[in-house]
Amino acid sequence: MKTRKIVGEWYIYILMIVIWVIASLITPYFRQMSVFMTIIVFSVPLALVALGQNLVILTGRFDLSVGGILALSTVIASVIMKNNLFIGILFPLLSGTVLGFINGICVSRFRIDSFIMTFGMMAISQGVGLLIRNYPGGYIPTGYVNFLLKKTGPILLTPLFILIIVLLVGEFVLKRTNFGRAVYAVGNDDVIAYRSGINVTLIRTAVFTISGFTAAIAGLFLCAIISCGDATVGALYPLDSITAVVMGGTILAGGRGDYKGTIGAVLILTSLGRIFNMAGVNIWYTYVAKGLLLLIIVAIRMFGVREEKEVAE
Amino acid sequence: MSEILKIEGISKFFPGVQALNKVNTSFSKGEISAIVGENGAGKSTLVFILMGALKPDEGKCFIKGNEVNIIGVHKAKEYGIGAVFQEPNLIKYMSVAENIFLGEQGKFKHRGILSYSKLFKAAEEILNDLKIEIDIRQLAGFLSPAQRKLIELAKMMRHNPKIIILDEITAALDYEGVAKVFEIIRNKRDEGKTVIFISHRLREVFDIADTALVLKEGKVVQKLELKDTTEEGLVNLMMGKKLSKVFPKRISVGRKEKKVIFSIRNLTTKGKLKNINLDIAKGEIVALAGLRGHGQSELLKAVFGLVPKNSGKIFINNKEVIVNNPVKAKMEKIAFISNRREDELCFTHSIRRNIALPSLGKRQRAGFIIQSKEKKEVSDISSKMNIKAPSLATEVGNLSGGNKQKVVFSKWLLTQPDLLLCDDPAGGLDTGAKSEVYHILRRLANEGKSILLVLSDMVEILNLPDRVVVISEGKIVKEFSNIGSEDSKMLEKKILKASAGVT
């Protein structure tokens, strides 16, 4: 029973290792450290976005605006950074936080459905991004890029470090803080949480604000990778982040799940692109694979839920 | 009386539980039989099998001497078996008439189009037949719990079943609702129907039923005529041991010595409450009685800040406090336990998480949970409350009703409340668990907490509180202070009178 529980909790990492083993059997190139490092580098922005998304989904809501906010963040950075690095970091973070806060207030206080609200915000943030920069460009200081993506031997230390910090912070916040407990309670049932004297409005506003903030940080990291600002770079982040959270074991209805699973799913999703690329498969198949993966996992989970219910009755 | 339904050697096994073990029994025409037993005795399983919702592992069913195989609810209907369950089963946004004929609207076609006039007429006939006065055009969602049950009864009766199964249908009803339902059931019995009645309220069983089938751990203990036994005798059969005392002893303290700590002055809400004045002393249990839906639950909610107040003040220790949401209520040391356990507990979360939730703020360092403290406090309170579970990591959804309620108590007690508001705290529990809840409440009162209850079961009203306040149409109409010393029959009459608005 105990081993089964452990396997259940860590299944995503087992799946990850299986995928990596198969990939390195298919293509020998996959065994190189540089490939592993690429996966890590591309996992960082998704892991950040998924952290916010994870909190939002744990409260039983969605954030579709993460991609737009992330892209806007790269655009703002690419405009300001050449003049002042500090403000170039501060402003994207501010924009993400403010947009996330607006999402949160509208969802919690004005009771706008989160799907609609963040859908609208996605369009708004992307539109603003395109107004500022309608094609990719701008300047990201070399010093900034080097700081984030500098090689120490074959290893990129900073991204690895960021990924581990993000994982620890995410897990710690969810499991060991009052805020985390409140997030789970609100996600399970906001009536219960409200009656238990939890400020539900505040928690809902907070998760969306955090989601906007983490999406903005992700944008700041991503602009170092692509070395420019791009208002369309976030298109797949809503899909990818939701897929990662759901694959990682968080229930869409909220109240159950964790962040370590999400990180495992992030690593798998970013690996898929690399693997397809190296195996010589058309890159667009990655999208198909990701979409299928999401649907299959949700279907399997619903099947499990139904069985549980029948046993209970 | 002729036998209509007979079952022989019915067994049903669930993983880990033998829910029914070779049950033999029979039910006669024109008889109301109660099925009684503790939770887990197999009552619901038996009912589900009779309804065709569960397939027995072995055993036979006979209707009028012919062997039948009841598989599927539709088959049960064909054999003339109808049932009403505890859970509401009406569609909120449909009218009463549409609900009654749900799935059979096709019968009321006029040139291929649904004719509402025909539908309404047919529904009206059914309700007239049962002497139920409810507007059939009303949406089901706006009905009171009692009205909803009546409509569900009507919905079942339209098939004219020979055997009527009623599973805990009185659980959400007050005494007036129960009386109305019982009137209908008695009429049906006199028409020669067989009624199978399940309730945890033994008083009701004695009121309505002719015979009782006592189940324990999936086996039939005895089937007996109710006129041959007493309530205590029946409880002893159900529990298999002597129940020492269902209700705890009141410790009589003269009212003068009592210190009023909590007062409500001129409270009026947008809903039903008008000008409520109420004092509660330290260590006192006060019960709000009266017909359900006249504002008793609303009073608890208003005090807890769940219902907005139009006017009125609340004083704690002679100091005015403003409570307009649960966060504030918690700060003023008020706790509220609602009558719906699903509104109190996250069923998929562990016992520990559920208990820790409202008092999180008490065990933190800069927002971080102090794990060791939480663990200790939770395990202390759960052993004090005698919660029976494999561990504190057990999901609350897997606990029995009584243990769930104890988790609810634990979670609120960790906030160290001075005033405890409980809406029907023992509702839906079996006798053993009910008794435990009564003892918990009394113990808390003796520890100095003030308790304000909403009760609808007359037995509880007469035996549990120190003081009873009757609310009718949103106003306090009568107060009974010396509950313990008055004759209970007389008191019951007075309370019923006051509830009905007769003064």
Side-chain angles (χ1 to χ4, degrees):
Chain A
M1 208 53 202
K2 194 132 197 176
T3 45
R4 218 177 127 187
K5 204 184 158 194
I6 291 168
V7 170
E9 228 168 86
W10 295 92
Y11 92 100
I12 196 83
Y13 288 90
I14 297 167
L15 186 64
M16 179 182 84
I17 289 165
V18 169
I19 288 176
W20 282 356
V21 168
I22 293 172
S24 43
L25 290 178
I26 296 172
T27 95
Y29 301 112
F30 193 78
R31 287 175 226 152
Q32 292 163 2
M33 188 47 120
S34 65
V35 176
F36 178 69
M37 277 299 130
T38 321
I39 290 171
I40 295 294
V41 167
F42 279 97
S43 291
V44 170
L46 183 54
L48 281 161
V49 171
L51 174 58
Q53 189 74 266
N54 209 157
L55 287 170
V56 174
I57 291 183
L58 273 174
T59 64
R61 298 290 186 267
F62 290 102
D63 190 350
L64 299 179
S65 66
V66 284
I69 290 173
L70 173 146
L72 183 62
S73 163
T74 69
V75 168
I76 295 175
S78 74
V79 172
I80 304 178
M81 266 192 182
K82 63 173 184 272
N83 299 323
N84 186 325
L85 184 66
F86 176 70
I87 295 178
I89 290 173
L90 187 68
F91 268 46
L93 290 182
L94 260 174
S95 76
T97 312
V98 169
L99 294 183
F101 179 73
I102 295 171
N103 277 336
I105 284 289
C106 289
V107 169
S108 62
R109 182 131 296 192
F110 305 125
R111 310 271 160 128
I112 301 177
D113 186 86
S114 73
F115 186 86
I116 300 298
M117 181 61 220
T118 57
F119 209 36
M121 187 56 82
M122 173 173 91
I124 292 167
S125 52
Q126 194 157 345
V128 172
L130 284 166
L131 279 174
I132 299 172
R133 201 177 274 299
N134 61 0
Y135 52 90
Y139 172 72
I140 305 296
T142 331
Y144 176 75
V145 175
N146 282 345
F147 170 72
L148 289 179
L149 302 175
K150 194 174 155 244
K151 276 194 174 166
T152 314
I155 299 170
L156 292 155
L157 268 184
T158 323
L160 200 58
F161 190 62
I162 294 177
L163 200 60
I164 291 166
I165 292 289
V166 170
L167 170 62
L168 292 179
V169 168
E171 271 296 289
F172 191 80
V173 165
L174 282 181
K175 298 282 166 65
R176 297 287 167 110
T177 65
N178 286 350
F179 172 71
R181 284 284 177 85
V183 165
Y184 280 107
V186 169
N188 188 288
D189 193 321
D190 44 10
V191 173
I192 298 172
Y194 181 68
R195 290 192 168 182
S196 299
I198 282 171
N199 192 334
V200 176
T201 316
L202 181 75
I203 297 292
R204 287 211 185 283
T205 312
V207 292
F208 278 99
T209 311
I210 292 171
S211 182
F213 179 70
T214 56
I217 305 179
L220 284 175
F221 190 87
L222 193 66
C223 70
I225 302 176
I226 59 179
S227 268
C228 66
D230 182 352
T232 61
V233 73
L236 273 181
Y237 277 87
L239 171 70
D240 282 357
S241 60
I242 291 171
T243 310
V245 171
V246 173
M247 252 176 94
T250 301
I251 307 293
L252 273 182
R256 263 207 281 187
D258 59 12
Y259 185 58
K260 63 176 186 295
T262 304
I263 285 281
V266 163
L267 290 171
I268 290 179
L269 287 175
T270 34
S271 306
L272 279 183
R274 292 285 98 198
I275 294 166
F276 278 42
N277 194 5
M278 283 183 213
V281 181
N282 188 332
I283 189 74
W284 305 121
Y285 279 117
T286 335
Y287 293 8
V288 179
K290 281 178 188 171
L292 282 176
L293 207 57
L294 175 64
L295 297 181
I296 291 168
I297 283 167
V298 172
I300 291 173
R301 186 131 331 123
M302 287 319 290
F303 193 70
V305 169
R306 205 169 306 137
E307 259 182 3
E308 252 174 54
K309 256 192 190 157
E310 262 157 31
V311 168
E313 276 162 11
Chain B
M1 279 193 280
S2 61
E3 183 180 284
I4 178 161
L5 176 67
K6 190 176 160 198
I7 56 178
E8 258 183 33
I10 293 267
S11 294
K12 179 76 192 173
F13 188 80
F14 290 118
V17 208
Q18 180 83 44
L20 288 179
N21 193 352
K22 297 205 164 52
V23 170
N24 298 312
T25 189
S26 64
F27 301 95
S28 310
K29 205 165 175 251
E31 177 193 72
I32 302 178
S33 309
I35 302 181
V36 294
E38 298 283 87
N39 280 342
K43 300 182 304 269
S44 299
T45 313
L46 184 59
V47 167
F48 279 130
I49 287 174
L50 293 177
M51 273 305 297
L54 270 179
K55 196 175 164 299
D57 296 336
E58 55 175 354
K60 290 172 184 167
C61 268
F62 299 91
I63 291 180
K64 287 185 183 161
N66 304 319
E67 186 175 345
V68 292
N69 214 349
I70 312 170
I71 297 173
V73 182
H74 289 279
K75 261 277 177 328
K77 234 182 239 175
E78 266 174 46
Y79 290 127
I81 302 174
V84 177
F85 293 100
Q86 182 182 357
E87 286 78 30
N89 224 346
L90 297 176
I91 297 174
K92 276 190 192 166
Y93 297 107
M94 278 193 180
S95 68
V96 168
E98 284 168 291
N99 265 299
I100 293 178
F101 286 104
L102 191 67
E104 292 177 10
Q105 295 94 328
K107 283 184 186 167
F108 304 100
K109 266 192 259 183
H110 179 69
R111 290 185 193 146
I113 297 170
L114 174 64
S115 158
Y116 274 94
S117 57
K118 278 188 188 172
L119 176 72
F120 286 154
K121 208 170 147 231
E124 215 149 54
E125 269 168 25
I126 288 185
L127 292 195
N128 284 341
D129 197 39
L130 295 171
K131 298 194 185 68
I132 301 173
E133 283 166 28
I134 295 173
D135 179 10
I136 49 159
R137 286 171 180 80
Q138 209 175 357
L139 294 185
F142 293 115
L143 298 176
S144 71
Q147 286 176 320
R148 257 176 250 165
K149 276 292 157 253
L150 291 174
I151 295 305
E152 283 183 43
L153 271 173
K155 187 177 162 184
M156 177 194 66
M157 296 300 184
R158 103 197 144 188
H159 293 292
N160 203 16
K162 293 192 285 284
I163 300 163
I164 299 168
I165 300 174
L166 306 169
D167 188 4
E168 291 270 356
I169 60 165
T170 53
L173 305 185
D174 58 30
Y175 22 85
E176 198 189 42
V178 171
K180 182 78 200 163
V181 168
F182 280 8
E183 190 191 318
I184 293 176
I185 299 175
R186 284 200 190 95
N187 285 339
K188 287 290 151 191
R189 171 190 58 188
D190 298 342
E191 284 173 24
K193 313 272 188 213
T194 305
V195 181
I196 298 172
F197 178 78
I198 293 161
S199 173
H200 276 309
R201 298 181 183 170
L202 287 186
R203 203 28 208 288
E204 291 177 357
V205 168
F206 275 87
D207 264 6
I208 184 102
D210 306 311
T211 65
L213 174 70
V214 185
L215 290 181
K216 183 171 157 46
E217 287 158 8
K219 286 184 196 153
V220 176
V221 178
Q222 202 178 340
K223 179 154 184 176
L224 68 171
E225 294 277 327
L226 279 171
K227 56 178 190 281
D228 300 341
T229 183
T230 61
E231 236 168 89
E232 210 186 323
L234 199 59
V235 169
N236 290 344
L237 280 179
M238 282 160 57
M239 311 259 305
K241 59 174 188 219
K242 273 231 181 309
L243 188 64
S244 58
K245 193 109 176 65
V246 178
F247 287 96
K249 260 212 177 76
R250 297 186 183 91
I251 295 176
S252 54
V253 185
R255 273 203 83 190
K256 275 176 200 157
E257 301 165 34
K258 286 194 175 174
K259 186 179 148 225
V260 171
I261 63 152
F262 181 84
S263 322
I264 302 168
R265 288 287 168 268
N266 306 321
L267 176 74
T268 300
T269 61
K270 283 195 185 105
K272 296 177 189 119
L273 298 177
K274 283 168 220 125
N275 206 18
I276 297 284
N277 286 293
L278 186 64
D279 288 329
I280 303 166
K282 194 172 157 86
E284 190 183 27
I285 300 182
V286 179
L288 301 172
L291 301 181
R292 211 173 249 255
H294 277 229
Q296 297 90 341
S297 299
E298 196 173 306
L299 178 54
L300 298 192
K301 286 181 183 165
V303 171
F304 196 62
L306 287 168
V307 169
K309 298 181 251 304
N310 268 2
S311 63
K313 288 175 178 170
I314 291 175
F315 295 89
I316 295 176
N317 290 325
N318 293 323
K319 239 176 64 192
E320 190 186 347
V321 294
I322 293 166
V323 178
N324 46 21
N325 61 45
V327 181
K328 289 244 179 72
K330 209 165 71 178
M331 278 178 353
E332 302 297 346
K333 293 183 173 298
I334 303 174
F336 171 57
I337 295 175
S338 88
N339 56 346
R340 292 160 49 88
R341 277 181 281 284
E342 58 271 32
D343 283 352
E344 293 287 347
L345 298 172
C346 302
F347 283 179
T348 58
H349 289 177
S350 65
I351 295 176
R352 176 172 163 185
R353 270 206 183 171
N354 270 291
I355 292 182
L357 190 61
S359 52
L360 276 177
K362 287 188 185 298
R363 295 177 299 269
Q364 60 163 347
R365 202 177 288 136
F368 300 123
I369 297 163
I370 304 170
Q371 300 280 335
S372 55
K373 200 171 167 194
E374 177 177 298
K375 211 169 183 175
K376 186 174 179 307
E377 284 187 14
V378 169
S379 69
D380 283 356
I381 192 84
S382 62
S383 57
K384 192 176 159 201
M385 284 290 130
N386 195 17
I387 296 172
K388 291 189 194 82
S391 84
L392 292 176
T394 308
E395 281 184 18
V396 164
N398 297 334
L399 300 179
S400 69
N403 278 312
K404 276 183 190 143
Q405 191 67 326
K406 289 186 220 161
V407 173
V408 176
F409 272 105
S410 308
K411 107 178 199 177
W412 282 110
L413 288 179
L414 281 192
T415 67
Q416 289 155 342
D418 291 333
L419 176 68
L420 198 59
L421 312 164
C422 306
D423 195 345
D424 201 4
L429 302 180
D430 62 37
T431 319
K434 269 186 204 291
S435 176
E436 262 184 288
V437 167
Y438 304 146
H439 281 89
I440 289 172
L441 286 168
R442 181 50 69 185
R443 200 173 71 214
L444 293 173
N446 292 343
E447 282 169 14
K449 302 202 187 300
S450 309
I451 298 172
L452 182 60
L453 304 170
V454 170
L455 296 177
S456 52
D457 186 346
M458 190 49 87
V459 182
E460 289 178 357
I461 294 174
L462 294 175
N463 291 297
L464 181 60
D466 300 308
R467 190 148 61 97
V468 174
V469 173
V470 179
I471 292 185
S472 175
E473 288 172 0
K475 281 182 274 192
I476 293 182
V477 289
K478 195 113 191 177
E479 223 183 290
F480 300 91
S481 310
N482 303 319
I483 292 289
S485 55
E486 251 180 280
D487 176 56
S488 65
K489 276 267 160 8
M490 280 299 291
L491 194 61
E492 180 176 351
K493 253 189 203 151
K494 283 184 194 163
I495 291 174
L496 284 173
K497 255 185 170 174
S499 313
V502 187
T503 40

